[in-house]
Amino acid sequence: MVKAVVGANWGDEGKGKITDMLAKDADIIVRFQGGANAGHTIVNEYGKFALHTLPSGVFHRHVTNIIGNGVALNIPVLFHELQSLAGRNVPMPKLLVSDRAQIVMPYHILLDEYEEERLGGKSFGSTKSGIAPFYSDKYAKIGFQVSELFDDGILKEKVERVCEQKNIMFEHMYHKPLISPSGLLETLREYREMVKPYVCDVSVYLEKAMKEEKTILLEGQLGTLKDPDHGIYPMVTSSSTLAAYGAIGVGIPPYEIKQIITVCKAYSSAVGAGAFVSEIFGDEADELRRRGGDGGEYGATTGRPRRMGWFDCVASKYGCRLQGTTDVAFTVLDVLGYLDEIPVCVGYEIDGEVTTDFPVTVKLNKAKPVLEVLPGWKCDIRGIKEYEDLPENCRNYVEFIEKQIGYPITMISNGPGREDIIYRKK
Ligand code: GDP
């Protein structure tokens, strides 16, 4: 059975924790999109880890971890993460890398940096991991597949051809030093040695696994609102964050994805620029940021303080719908225990009219939040295992949100650890 774990919002919903928790009963965990630009934070018996490239199953010995063809594969980052696990006594994970995955090249990272520099104040707030230049090249058909590393002839010819084009941009557009084809070829030969033990035809591997009725988890990065088609374009990421893309990003039929677990955080946070209707500011935001997540809401990759806001039913209903949600995992609920009252965004007012349908970016920029205020529960809910044992106001908060978004909240996370979870019947 294939399940997907994806985000409903701007990312950082706690997908890493939910995946790590579900990994206990999974055989295979596959990443299907994105790159090392975002990270998952996982807390377990080995400590606290921020993973950027490795799938979240790497802490379970029985799990095979796979990097699918849809991922922007940064080979040195992958290698570095593997080494850092070993350095902290995590047993070497089982890892496979798709022979069709494409490689983030050193010049993608440079182009990201140079472009942000050129844009100055108008920049996208990129994490400078080379993701946008990488996907641009993939669709411009000048990307490098892992499989190509193993054919020296093809590699040499292509490196020369691509360097010629990149150097025109480096010289005339950015006025930066040129790249040397021979140096790049040498780097790619090093990449080949790093990745060689893991390369695999992932689609064939998964077809066999499905026949053997293995449990396969597709692990998404970021969330619906960062999807290039359905998100807050242009403040989006460069690969699809939707469960539907999971089929493409690993090479399986779409109808094989039977369960779609969409992760929603009990309040909102976002990194980078772009519309964020339920955003809050000042002391109110600082307090939520400080208390949020596990040790504060700061980017797992960048350490940047996240923008904070109240739960947004409009964005989350849309986020769940576009994912094709079968189950909502509602996370970080414990953090809200300090509040007397909890505002929730239940509608957007745009040009004097209230809507609950998430609009396109031009309209979104004009939206003002319509808030409803629910009573807080004023206690610590960590450690509670049964839904019925949650304080009444806390259950009311969950049920109010469930009704607003229209998808069943079947899991409630009340702490960062694997065991901090409350299952609820549909
Ligand atoms: P991801 O990219 O979606 O995995 O999100 P993050 O890496 O930003 O994870 C969110 C943060 O919240 C991490 O620091 C997690 O350890 C933490 N976290 C996840 N679930 C919970 C929860 O239920 N309660 C608390 N307090 N922290 C949580």
Side-chain angles (χ1 to χ4, degrees):
M1 158 137 159
V2 184
K3 306 176 184 187
V5 180
V6 287
N9 304 111
W10 298 262
D12 309 318
E13 298 93 349
K15 293 177 298 295
K17 179 234 156 114
I18 299 295
T19 313
D20 181 57
M21 183 190 93
L22 295 171
K24 187 164 55 63
D25 302 314
D27 301 298
I28 297 168
I29 300 191
V30 203
R31 283 209 39 197
F32 63 88
Q33 47 90 215
N37 51 333
H40 288 317
T41 314
I42 296 176
V43 183
N44 58 29
E45 67 269 30
Y46 299 104
K48 184 171 176 176
F49 295 84
L51 298 183
H52 308 292
T53 283
L54 284 172
S56 301
V58 290
F59 301 103
H60 294 267
R61 298 188 87 153
H62 68 279
V63 170
T64 300
N65 295 276
I66 303 185
I67 303 209
N69 53 277
V71 171
L73 175 66
N74 184 320
I75 295 176
V77 169
L78 177 79
F79 203 67
H80 178 77
E81 276 185 21
L82 282 171
Q83 284 177 329
S84 75
L85 293 189
R88 289 172 69 187
N89 299 323
V90 180
M92 236 337 133
K94 281 184 242 160
L95 177 70
L96 299 172
V97 174
S98 168
D99 53 4
R100 290 179 181 273
Q102 294 201 9
I103 304 161
V104 176
M105 305 290 273
Y107 54 75
H108 288 142
I109 295 164
L110 292 173
L111 282 169
D112 222 348
E113 273 175 34
Y114 297 164
E115 184 60 11
E116 287 281 300
E117 197 179 304
R118 190 184 71 84
L119 290 170
K122 294 204 169 103
S123 79
F124 283 78
S126 160
T127 58
K128 304 193 184 83
S129 316
I131 303 300
F134 165 90
Y135 281 106
S136 307
D137 278 0
K138 178 171 175 176
Y139 294 106
K141 295 167 292 216
I142 52 168
F144 286 77
Q145 266 192 358
V146 165
S147 60
E148 291 169 331
L149 290 176
F150 297 89
D151 187 316
D152 245 339
I154 289 183
L155 201 60
K156 188 163 184 296
E157 182 277 323
K158 195 161 166 183
V159 161
E160 282 166 3
R161 181 160 46 89
V162 174
C163 278
E164 201 177 304
Q165 194 234 37
K166 296 294 168 203
N167 278 339
I168 294 171
M169 286 178 70
F170 277 39
E171 184 176 357
H172 299 289
M173 184 151 168
Y174 298 115
H175 314 293
K176 296 286 184 188
L178 303 190
I179 32 178
S180 122
S182 59
L184 183 60
L185 196 58
E186 212 32 62
T187 304
L188 293 181
R189 287 184 181 136
E190 287 166 19
Y191 285 6
R192 174 169 65 201
E193 295 315 306
M194 292 180 192
V195 81
K196 204 177 193 169
Y198 311 109
V199 180
C200 162
D201 183 336
V202 165
S203 177
V204 166
Y205 182 89
L206 291 178
E207 189 196 22
K208 185 161 169 282
M210 287 186 296
K211 281 198 182 122
E212 292 166 359
E213 299 190 356
K214 298 269 199 265
T215 299
I216 302 165
L217 270 188
L218 307 181
E219 177 176 32
Q221 189 197 43
L222 298 169
T224 305
L225 305 181
K226 292 283 186 182
D227 184 78
D229 284 83
H230 297 283
I232 51 171
Y233 191 86
M235 296 303 179
V236 293
T237 192
S238 307
S239 63
S240 175
T241 56
L242 302 182
Y245 189 75
I248 298 163
V250 307
I252 60 167
Y255 54 75
E256 292 288 353
I257 307 174
K258 306 289 185 212
Q259 192 184 11
I260 297 172
I261 300 157
T262 304
V263 186
C264 275
K265 193 151 67 177
Y267 53 88
S268 303
S269 72
V271 279
F276 181 6
V277 178
S278 67
E279 186 168 12
I280 54 175
F281 303 91
D283 293 346
E284 202 178 32
D286 286 344
E287 176 147 40
L288 185 55
R289 184 180 303 110
R290 191 165 46 74
R291 291 174 179 267
D294 179 35
E297 291 282 359
Y298 301 92
T301 301
T302 57
R304 287 190 289 200
R306 292 176 180 155
R307 297 163 69 195
M308 307 302 297
W310 302 123
F311 189 85
D312 184 335
C313 298
V314 179
S316 303
K317 178 177 79 161
Y318 175 80
C320 287
R321 180 164 68 81
L322 270 291
Q323 292 291 5
T325 305
T326 60
D327 295 76
V328 175
F330 196 56
T331 58
V332 210
L333 186 59
D334 51 303
V335 161
L336 299 182
Y338 73 97
L339 290 159
D340 293 323
E341 290 183 321
I342 313 175
V344 175
C345 175
V346 293
Y348 290 174
E349 191 192 313
I350 303 168
D351 294 332
E353 278 185 45
V354 175
T355 179
T356 59
D357 288 325
F358 192 79
V360 290
T361 311
V362 281
K363 289 190 183 159
L364 185 66
N365 290 333
K366 296 195 262 177
K368 295 187 182 63
V370 178
L371 297 175
E372 202 164 314
V373 179
L374 304 191
W377 48 91
K378 297 291 287 176
C379 68
D380 185 4
I381 59 162
R382 282 206 195 180
I384 293 178
K385 296 280 170 212
E386 299 296 329
Y387 183 67
E388 286 65 35
D389 295 338
L390 287 173
E392 191 183 357
N393 282 349
C394 183
R395 277 182 281 129
N396 286 343
Y397 185 77
V398 172
E399 286 161 37
F400 178 85
I401 282 170
E402 183 174 54
K403 197 156 168 247
Q404 293 280 327
I405 62 178
Y407 293 89
I409 297 177
T410 60
M411 286 166 245
I412 293 163
S413 172
N414 58 340
R418 255 179 214 167
E419 63 297 338
D420 299 321
I421 193 82
I422 299 171
Y423 289 98
R424 203 167 150 245
K425 284 168 203 70
K426 283 193 202 183

